[in-house]
Amino acid sequence: MHQLVGATPPRTPEVRKKELTDLAVAAGTEPRDAKKALTFVGFQKAIQDAGPHLGIEGNQAEAIWSMCSALAHGDAHNLSFLDHQVVVAQGNVSLTKLTGNISVLLRAAELSVRMLRHGFALYEKARAAT
């Protein structure tokens, strides 16, 4: 991001990695395990792990997140939970009418918002501890 906007980051990636490693060790991670602990596990695992914190199964959380992601990104291949009718198409672009069960959509959106709020609460808790 800094390169794209022509800005200088406040610290080098190496310095930031050391800061994160030091924080992980201070939180109880063995130094030899710090690199693994700081490796991004991927969105799928993060969402799966978030489910039980919301009182739902991990697979259900992932399905809901995927559904909302498909809506947000216009991913027609993952919008099978909606009825869709192509109104007009030109090349690989189409104007499509989507309809679906509003209760399902509202529940999915509500759970997604709860996931995000929970994540931000965990972030604030961790940030306050440092």
Side-chain angles (χ1 to χ4, degrees):
M1 181 67 175
H2 289 98
Q3 275 183 318
L4 291 173
V5 298
T8 302
R11 57 196 170 270
T12 66
E14 293 76 23
V15 168
R16 182 63 178 144
K17 284 178 190 174
K18 178 159 180 8
E19 289 175 348
L20 292 173
T21 299
D22 292 346
L23 286 170
V25 170
T29 302
E30 290 293 327
R32 69 180 178 276
D33 298 330
K35 183 176 180 180
K36 183 179 179 185
L38 295 171
T39 301
F40 179 58
V41 297
F43 290 109
Q44 183 178 12
K45 173 140 177 48
I47 298 304
Q48 285 271 340
D49 290 350
H53 294 283
L54 303 171
I56 60 176
E57 297 290 324
N59 286 344
Q60 187 181 13
E62 185 180 346
I64 290 166
W65 190 267
S66 293
M67 183 173 73
C68 289
S69 177
L71 284 171
H73 299 285
D75 185 356
H77 299 293
N78 290 323
L79 292 174
S80 60
F81 61 92
L82 296 175
D83 293 327
H84 57 281
Q85 173 188 0
V86 175
V87 177
V88 65
Q90 185 174 4
N92 62 354
V93 177
S94 66
L95 174 62
T96 305
K97 178 181 176 182
L98 300 173
T99 56
N101 182 320
I102 192 67
S103 297
V104 170
L105 294 173
L106 283 173
R107 177 74 174 143
E110 185 263 334
L111 284 168
S112 295
V113 168
R114 284 181 48 206
M115 274 186 225
L116 288 168
R117 284 188 177 145
H118 184 73
F120 281 119
L122 290 174
Y123 169 76
E124 288 298 326
K125 182 179 176 183
R127 191 172 69 95
T130 59

